[in-house]
Amino acid sequence: MSQPMIHILNGPNLNLLGSREPDIYGHDSLDDIARDCAALGATLGVQCALMQTNHEGELVGMIQSARDQAQGIIINPAAYTHTSVAILDALSAFDGPVIEVHLSNIHKREAFRHHSYVSARADAVIAGCGALGYELALRQMARMLGRDHRA
Ligand code: DQA
């Protein structure tokens, strides 16, 4: 069986990771996260492709593309988490598992970050684990896709 493909989608301002408010979001860049996920994916028997956009419609397009290109989606919608019904609707049209990731614990922050539209569709939510959250999500995704080798 070919290895499942997991798309790791990232919303606005996450291209600045590493230099953006490192006390909240940590020192790892998105490239660091992509590299760590690719290495972990190889041990788990899954492929992954990480993408980022600052535009809501483009994020919707990425989710739509995953419908025939990926078996699972890991998504950090960033600020669109709290505003976007369009992203929720796009995720609802995706058949595979969805895991929502936030570097920070959104529930410990300002009240406007406490609500996530995406959580209504997500099969799992990870928040407050920093960059490690992406790796935790990848492990859980591999398990959900039947690729749990206890790596
Ligand atoms: C974030 C949390 C959001 O509230 C914020 O707008 C982000 C990043 C996180 O990863 O902690 O841009 O999704």
Side-chain angles (χ1 to χ4, degrees), residues 5 28 31 40 72 97 113 117 129 144:
M5 170 59 81
D28 285 341
D31 283 348
L40 177 61
R113 296 185 203 274
Y117 282 97
C129 300
M144 288 165 136

Side-chain angles (χ1 to χ4, degrees), residues 10-14 17 20-21 24-25 75-82 100-106 109-110 112-115 126-128 130 134:
N10 292 276
N13 300 304
L14 293 173
L17 274 188
R20 170 198 185 199
E21 301 182 272
I24 297 175
Y25 297 116
I75 185 165
N76 182 348
Y80 294 138
T81 306
H82 317 298
E100 176 183 354
V101 172
H102 300 284
L103 295 135
S104 64
N105 179 2
I106 55 175
R109 300 182 63 193
E110 304 96 319
F112 67 85
R113 296 185 203 274
H114 294 179
H115 177 259
I126 297 169
Y134 287 82

